[in-house]
Amino acid sequence: MHLPRAAMLLAGVLAAAAPLLQAGAKDAAPAATAATAPPRLIVAISVDQFSADLFARYRRHFSQGLARLQDGAVFPSGYQSHAATETCPGHSTILTGVRPARSGIIANEWTDQSIARADKRVYCAEDETNPASSPDRPVVSARHLNARTLGDRLKARDPAGRNVAVSYKDRTVVMMGGHTIDAGYWWRPGGFVSFEGVPVGPAAQAANRTANALIAKGAPAMAVPSWCAGMSRAVDAGGTSVGEGRFLLERGKAAGFTISPRVDAAVANLAVALVDEQQLGRDGATDVLSVGLSATDTIGHTFGPGGLEMCIQMAELDKTIGRLLAALDARRLDYMVVLTADHGGFDVIERQRQQAYPRAVRGDSTLTAEELGKYATQMTGITAPSGRLVYGDGMFGDRYISRQITGAERAKVSEALVARLKSHPQVAGVFTARELAATPLPSGSPQDWSLKDRARASFDPQRSGDLVVLLDRGVMPIAAGSRGYVSTHGSPWDYDRRVPILFWRRGMTGFEQPAPIETVDIAPTLAALLRLDTTDGDFDGRCLDLDGGPVNSCEVQP
Ligand SMILES: [Zn+2]
């Protein structure tokens, strides 16, 4: 495998530091304090689309970074508890400790009929008030995030703390980093970029040279681990064949980089370079490094999460995280890792049917907002001056009725749509904004929540639709498979809601807790460890005791 330059440099650093590392291991803090003393660096890793199902399926094969993290506090049944299991809402919960109902990040995109833009779509991580911003090329901003991240809180306490975030995806950077990011990088065709007007620093410039050289040169198909060998089987996913891919990188074709484990390696290498550039973990103020590894998601959407491609990705992810941790060790940093995911995933329906899940079906294309608008016009005779009666994205989620018609007309349209949706065999739930606004924020174990509770957890009265539509379990909201997009997530079902949550720090007493927890528990857990001043009600989650012994990391002394 072609090793990016930073990785080779890193290997050199590692070799040189080996004697130091051995000395460091002996000096490791005693078990009782490793889960309770504030670390100098929080490394928050999000593996996009890393479902609890993927973790369960592959965890016995992990031997590198993910194996190490499994020696810490392991929560195999974490919940992104809300219904809108998309990237932006999911990432908004991880370091804020609040659900999308409070963070305001209800979806990747929503409709705002007050804006001038013709399609009325707003991207979660954009500043649409900037005239240069468009959904295709957003001016990236955290203005929609109505919550503070862990990095924001640390910097408010001590401005010397650094808040750094890097990912393939801009929304991951913004939702994990928040409002006070010192260095934030994400990928756009051509290389890593940063916020409008912020120059790309030397570390990211070097990462871009390495990535672009790799894309220009190409790379051979990746090795298949022995435990993936039996999985190479072609499946026709609605006109495109998946299941045998090995990530050949054809010369000059960037997709062989971005839809492959290579993009995770590039992000992790840049994260390490930013540790040096930003001097993370070196002084008394705790720093936060957020690392968004997106390849599991790009591979999941392109090939489905159930085939050979994902098996290879799991092996490469394990190695990439191993190299990241080894680089932090080589720098003798005192860090704590938390790893989780923004949502889970569901395999392509053709493979689901072959593998004993016959009820998996493609979604009905008459469920799109546009088709629902046509239906409502047929039933009520009502039309909107703009020609668009119902706004919304895809087959499920928020549905917005035109504000260009009267309140009475809107009520009629809503009634027609609710009746249509409630009688549709693929719809599991349809809730009006009024119903959801009257529903209390859910509490108790997320596995027991009703569909309405799940929808409530990602409902914001200012941003959510007039209707929220939830599809039935097993319905893939893709009407026809296409090359590059064969499966997705976003449902209120546990295959999309359940994600692993792992905490690790050198010397901590590991344990596994199978009971459900939530991703909103992560921020209060770290806040306690970092002695942040918080008050009741700051978080939707609760502090998790990370010490596997008698000490309680939630009851540490300031
Ligand atoms: Zn995602």
Side-chain angles (χ1 to χ4, degrees), residues 48-49 86-88 91 169 171 297 301 342-343 489:
D48 203 310
Q49 204 183 129
E86 295 185 339
T87 297
C88 224
H91 280 108
K169 296 186 182 180
R171 54 187 176 275
D297 186 70
H301 286 299
D342 55 341
H343 51 75
H489 47 84

Side-chain angles (χ1 to χ4, degrees), residues 288-309:
V288 183
L289 172 63
S290 298
V291 184
L293 301 177
S294 312
T296 303
D297 186 70
T298 58
I299 291 165
H301 286 299
T302 305
F303 304 104
L308 175 69
E309 299 89 348

Side-chain angles (χ1 to χ4, degrees), residues 48-125:
D48 203 310
Q49 204 183 129
F50 189 35
S51 63
D53 296 332
L54 277 180
F55 178 65
R57 180 170 182 176
Y58 290 108
R59 62 183 291 190
R60 70 184 185 279
H61 298 298
F62 296 140
S63 62
Q64 309 289 314
L66 285 165
R68 194 201 293 196
L69 299 186
Q70 288 190 75
D71 289 339
V74 176
F75 299 90
S77 196
Y79 272 80
Q80 290 280 5
S81 51
H82 51 276
T85 50
E86 295 185 339
T87 297
C88 224
H91 280 108
S92 84
T93 70
I94 296 172
L95 292 180
T96 65
V98 302
R99 302 186 189 114
R102 276 173 72 183
S103 75
I105 306 301
I106 57 161
N108 283 347
E109 291 187 327
W110 57 85
T111 297
D112 180 349
Q113 296 187 58
S114 72
I115 62 173
R117 194 179 283 174
D119 66 5
K120 307 298 181 192
R121 278 155 80 127
V122 175
Y123 175 55
C124 60

Side-chain angles (χ1 to χ4, degrees), residues 429-449:
V430 50
F431 306 107
T432 64
R434 184 178 297 189
E435 264 179 285
L436 291 174
T439 302
L441 286 162
S443 58
S445 182
Q447 69 185 346
D448 302 327
W449 293 6

